[in-house]
Amino acid sequence: QEEVGLRGAQTSATKIRPDVAFALDVGIAHDTPGTEGDEKLGGGPLVVIYDATSIPNRFLRDLVIETAEKLKMPLQFESVERGGTDAGRIHMTGEGVPSISLGIASRYIHSHNSIIDRRDFDATVKLLVAVVKRLDRKTVESFC
C-alpha cells in the first residue's frame, strides 16, 4: 500500500520491529527529451538522498556508498520533492529505524510498461546483498 499512504510499511514495521530497513523502489529515469535530472537507464543503482517523507540515516547511507565504491559500482543519487517510499513510515516506527531507499531508474513508472536496464537491477541486488553482509551488531548499533 505504498502508493496510498505507506500503510503497509507502517503495519509491517510495527509487527516486525526491524533493526535496519531498505525500501526498494524505482525512480524516474530522466534520459528522455523533456525531462530534467541526471538519473538514467544503465547508470547504476539509485540512492535516494531526500524525499518528501524521509532523509536516509547518514551512517547507513555512507555504508551503502562505501560498499558500492568497494565493488567499483557507479551510483546515481536521487532527490524527490513530492512523494516518498516505504522508508518514510518505517524510519518512524518504534524508537526509530535506520532506513534508506534504493532503487532502479525506470522510464514510464506507474504504467503497465515501465522500462529498466537489467544491469541496473542486477547491480542493485548485488549492492544490497553486499551491504546486508556487512550488517553485524556493532555496525547496526553505530547507526544511532
Side-chain angles (χ1 to χ4, degrees):
Q1 296 183 356
E2 186 255 6
E3 295 295 342
V4 292
L6 311 175
R7 292 178 181 102
Q10 183 173 356
T11 56
S12 296
T14 299
K15 179 75 172 171
I16 295 168
R17 291 181 278 173
D19 295 318
V20 176
F22 298 89
L24 303 175
D25 208 332
V26 295
I28 299 171
H30 293 284
D31 57 357
T32 57
T35 61
E36 296 180 19
D38 297 325
E39 303 85 0
K40 63 184 179 183
L41 299 186
L46 294 175
V47 177
V48 180
I49 57 171
Y50 165 84
D51 71 32
T53 63
S54 70
I55 298 172
N57 175 282
R58 65 184 174 151
F59 302 111
L60 180 55
R61 178 205 61 209
D62 290 348
L63 181 68
V64 169
I65 293 169
E66 178 187 311
T67 303
E69 288 171 352
K70 286 184 178 188
L71 295 170
K72 296 182 175 32
M73 179 182 294
L75 292 176
Q76 303 184 78
F77 298 94
E78 179 178 52
S79 63
V80 182
E81 292 179 17
R82 295 181 297 151
T85 68
D86 287 335
R89 287 290 174 88
I90 296 170
H91 83 279
M92 296 187 298
T93 303
E95 295 178 7
V97 178
S99 302
I100 192 166
S101 298
L102 301 176
I104 301 161
S106 176
R107 293 185 193 145
Y108 321 120
I109 68 168
H110 299 150
S111 74
H112 65 285
N113 61 349
S114 294
I115 297 172
I116 65 169
D117 186 314
R118 179 61 191 244
R119 294 171 297 180
D120 292 337
F121 176 87
D122 293 340
T124 303
V125 171
K126 183 177 181 178
L127 176 61
L128 182 60
V129 169
V131 171
V132 168
K133 286 181 177 181
R134 297 182 68 187
L135 293 177
D136 58 20
R137 172 121 341 255
K138 182 179 177 184
T139 301
V140 171
E141 289 173 354
S142 76
F143 294 158
C144 298

